[in-house]
Amino acid sequence: MRRGLQPRSVRTGRAAVIALDLITDFAFPDGARVRRALSRHRAAITQLLARARSKRVPVLYANDNL
């Protein structure tokens, strides 16, 4: 019996992309540093999200900085 987050033995085709804390104004301590780090990966992130959408893979955004 499979429990929790153990790998599945058969591919089910179910997938999603979770984008954490990508929608922010960076108005927090170390925000400028985080913005610089994120900007170095912007092209790869943008490409990943676009590819997921084109394949109809759900893209979920989560942000805890309100």
Side-chain angles (χ1 to χ4, degrees):
M1 174 172 28
R2 195 173 91 61
R3 294 180 183 262
L5 297 176
Q6 295 173 352
R8 295 175 186 268
S9 60
V10 178
R11 288 187 60 172
T12 62
R14 298 185 322 183
V17 174
I18 301 174
L20 300 174
D21 290 337
L22 294 178
I23 302 171
T24 180
D25 60 4
F26 297 97
F28 52 86
D30 292 331
R33 184 178 58 84
V34 173
R35 181 189 299 234
R36 284 190 303 274
L38 186 59
S39 70
R40 288 193 294 268
H41 302 285
R42 180 181 305 157
I45 293 168
T46 301
Q47 183 179 23
L48 171 68
L49 298 177
R51 186 170 182 210
R53 288 186 192 103
S54 74
K55 302 288 185 181
R56 299 181 53 98
V57 173
V59 176
L60 310 171
Y61 289 87
N63 191 327
D64 65 349
N65 186 22
L66 298 176

